[in-house]
């Protein structure tokens, strides 16, 4: 075969090989596209929330203790046997309600005797005064001496004094009889009855008959670091400060009250200052002796950017959040946190109002990851 024929043969073979290679490449590209279509990029379901701009109160948080507005330990003021107990342990009682009755018969007899003595002394007083008037008339006519008249007048004055003493005795006997009926001095809830019906009771005994706690209104005592004292006093000078109290493990709304007391000295052992708030407590949500989360509101921070606290993540470069873009991809956004307020976090830098951030599902995300919104987070109005 001559040289020209070899070149023609080589060219044909090369064309065949090139055609086969192109065909194989096209087949490979087609298969890759099919595989890509069959396996699209992974998307991750996340829960998102919108960055809100709103007024947020600035608060001082503390642990508080509930204290009864007033506590009365009832004791008997006379000796005797308990005839009636007109309440049950723990029930609510009204002011003036009869709680105990002590046997009144000895005191009724004493009262009758005192009233009889008063009648006798009153009659004697009237007699001596009548005699004194007659002797005065006789003295004016010089029928009796001055000494005789002076004696009669002294007897009349003594009779007056005896009558007054008898009257006081009657009042005391009537008071002792009144003490046989023991009434509630306040509205409140009674505790456990210490002496039941039939027992003998002594006046001003060591142990009370029952303890009554007034819970409407009610106090909440709490302490804050002394560094907050000047701030608290400055805002108190501008107007009343409000306190919220929330018992632990409850879904009810926090009770609202007013700060009424700042202690006159800092506790040097703890470096704290004691405060007290008063609460109407109309629903009896607060109970004496209960521990609560107390929150003292100082003022409102206006137009603050607020996000759910669970959206904020911590990394080597600081705190950040995942922001969901309009194309449903995520980006890491470094932020600066001002403070926390319950379940909310106030952001000072890094976010804008209306942006969507991930609050659940961050662990599987990377920058640029595709996401789907699984369940929108409830937003605040």
């Amino acid at each position: 075969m001559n040289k020209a024929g070899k070149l023609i043969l080589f060219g044909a073979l090369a064309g065949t090989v090139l055609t086969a290679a192109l065909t194989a490449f096209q087949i490979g590209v087609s298969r890759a596209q099919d595989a890509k279509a069959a396996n699209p990029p992974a998307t991750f379901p996340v829960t998102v929330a919108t960055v809100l701009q709103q007024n947020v109160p600035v608060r001082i948080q503390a642990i508080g203790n509930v204290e009864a507005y007033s506590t009365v330990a009832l004791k008997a003021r006379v000796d005797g046997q308990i005839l009636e107990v007109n309440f049950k342990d723990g029930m609510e009682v009204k002011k003036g309600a009869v709680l105990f009755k002590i046997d009144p018969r000895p005191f009724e007899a004493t009262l009758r005797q005192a009233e009889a003595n008063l009648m006798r002394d009153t009659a004697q007083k009237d007699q001596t005064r009548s005699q004194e008037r007659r002797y005065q008339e006789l003295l004016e006519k010089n029928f009796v001496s001055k000494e005789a008249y002076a004696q009669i007048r002294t007897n009349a004055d003594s009779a007056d004094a005896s009558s007054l003493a008898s009257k006081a005795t009657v009042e005391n006997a009537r008071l002792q009889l009144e003490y046989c009926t023991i009434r509630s001095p306040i509205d409140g809830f009674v505790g456990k009855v210490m002496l039941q019906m039939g027992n003998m009771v002594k006046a001003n005994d060591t142990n009370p008959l029952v303890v009554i706690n007034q819970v409407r209104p009610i106090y909440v005592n709490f302490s804050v670091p002394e560094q907050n004292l000047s701030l608290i006093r400055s805002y108190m000078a501008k107007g009343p400060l409000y306190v919220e109290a929330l018992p632990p493990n409850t879904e009810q709304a926090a009770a609202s009250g007013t700060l009424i007391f700042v202690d006159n000295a800092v506790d040097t052992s703890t470096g704290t200052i004691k405060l007290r708030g008063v609460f109407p407590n109309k629903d009896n949500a607060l109970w004496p002796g209960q521990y609560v989360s107390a929150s003292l509101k100082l003022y409102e921070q206006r137009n603050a950017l607020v996000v759910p606290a669970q959206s904020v993540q911590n990394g080597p470069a600081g705190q950040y959040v995942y922001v969901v873009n309009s194309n449903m991809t995520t980006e890491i956004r470094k932020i600066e946190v001002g403070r926390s307020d319950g379940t909310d976090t106030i952001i000072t830098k890094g976010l804008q109002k209306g942006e969507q951030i991930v609050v659940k599902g961050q662990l599987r995300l990377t920058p640029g990851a595709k996401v789907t919104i699984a369940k929108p987070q409830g937003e605040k109005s």
Side-chain angles (χ1 to χ4, degrees):
M1 182 178 296
N2 58 19
K3 187 176 180 179
K6 290 180 179 180
L7 289 174
I8 293 172
L9 179 61
F10 177 77
L13 291 173
T16 303
V17 172
L18 181 59
T19 301
L22 289 173
T23 302
F25 175 75
Q26 292 175 347
I27 293 173
V29 171
S30 178
R31 288 179 178 176
Q33 291 176 343
D34 292 342
K36 186 176 181 180
N39 299 293
T43 59
F44 302 97
V46 295
T47 303
V48 300
T50 302
V51 179
L52 302 177
Q53 189 173 39
Q54 58 190 26
N55 298 337
V56 181
V58 176
R59 297 185 175 98
I60 299 175
Q61 305 288 343
I63 300 299
N65 180 256
V66 183
E67 179 185 341
Y69 189 78
S70 61
T71 298
V72 177
L74 281 185
K75 294 184 179 182
R77 303 179 71 173
V78 293
D79 298 343
Q81 185 181 31
I82 298 176
L83 295 183
E84 295 181 15
V85 178
N86 296 321
F87 64 95
K88 296 181 179 178
D89 296 350
M91 73 177 291
E92 183 177 8
V93 296
K94 298 296 183 181
K95 181 178 180 180
V98 176
L99 303 182
F100 295 92
K101 280 192 176 181
I102 298 173
D103 188 358
R105 290 173 296 180
F107 303 96
E108 291 172 345
T110 301
L111 176 61
R112 288 194 295 269
Q113 182 179 9
E115 289 173 339
N117 291 337
L118 175 61
M119 293 175 63
R120 179 198 62 198
D121 293 339
T122 300
Q124 188 172 358
K125 178 196 72 171
D126 294 342
Q127 173 63 26
T128 55
R129 280 301 171 194
S130 176
Q131 190 176 16
E132 187 264 340
R133 287 192 296 272
R134 290 197 302 271
Y135 266 73
Q136 187 176 17
E137 292 174 358
L138 294 174
L139 178 63
E140 292 173 354
K141 297 177 181 179
N142 294 322
F143 289 164
V144 295
S145 65
K146 293 183 178 180
E147 290 77 7
Y149 171 76
Q151 181 61 47
I152 295 299
R153 184 172 180 177
T154 300
N155 292 341
D157 291 341
S158 297
D160 284 346
S162 297
S163 176
L164 289 175
S166 296
K167 185 177 181 181
T169 301
V170 169
E171 292 175 354
N172 182 65
R174 188 174 288 116
L175 188 61
Q176 297 296 309
L177 178 60
E178 186 177 336
Y179 288 158
C180 292
T181 301
I182 301 177
R183 302 175 184 273
S184 175
I186 58 173
D187 293 339
F189 288 84
V190 296
K192 186 180 184 335
V193 182
M194 299 301 178
L195 282 179
Q196 297 289 348
M197 183 177 62
N199 285 281
M200 294 295 297
V201 65
K202 297 184 66 175
N204 297 318
D205 203 357
T206 304
N207 296 322
L209 296 173
V210 73
V211 175
I212 307 174
N213 283 333
Q214 183 177 356
V215 300
R216 294 192 296 268
I218 203 166
Y219 293 129
V220 172
N221 302 314
F222 58 100
S223 299
V224 300
E226 60 179 308
Q227 293 83 354
N228 297 315
L229 178 58
S230 59
L231 191 63
I232 293 172
R233 292 182 64 85
S234 65
Y235 281 104
M236 281 188 70
K238 299 176 183 178
L241 296 183
Y242 298 99
V243 186
E244 289 186 348
L246 183 65
N249 302 322
T250 180
E251 296 181 356
Q252 65 187 19
S256 182
T258 306
L259 183 69
I260 61 168
F261 170 74
V262 178
D263 204 356
N264 60 358
V266 173
D267 188 341
T268 56
S269 62
T270 61
T272 58
I273 185 76
K274 294 180 180 178
L275 308 177
R276 169 179 282 182
V278 63
F279 294 73
N281 200 35
K282 294 180 180 180
D283 57 355
N284 299 332
L286 302 177
W287 208 249
Q290 189 177 34
Y291 283 96
V292 295
S293 297
S295 175
L296 175 62
K297 178 182 175 182
L298 298 179
Y299 64 95
E300 279 199 346
Q301 180 182 351
R302 305 188 69 82
N303 299 322
L305 293 177
V306 181
V307 300
Q310 59 185 355
S311 66
V312 179
Q313 305 295 303
N314 293 299
Q319 294 176 306
Y320 65 93
V321 295
Y322 279 100
V323 177
V324 179
N325 297 317
S326 58
N327 60 356
M328 301 305 292
T329 61
T330 60
E331 66 168 294
I332 289 181
R333 185 79 60 81
K334 186 177 179 180
I335 60 172
E336 292 183 8
V337 173
R339 58 187 176 85
S340 294
D341 182 61
T343 59
D344 294 330
T345 297
I346 289 81
I347 305 299
T348 58
K349 187 177 180 181
L351 292 175
Q352 293 182 354
K353 176 184 177 182
E355 289 187 302
Q356 285 194 321
I357 57 173
V358 178
V359 296
K360 188 175 181 181
Q362 297 99 322
L363 294 178
R364 295 178 292 174
L365 298 181
T366 57
K370 295 282 291 183
V371 296
T372 58
I373 298 177
K375 185 179 180 181
Q377 176 80 1
E379 298 179 359
K380 293 183 179 180
S381 58

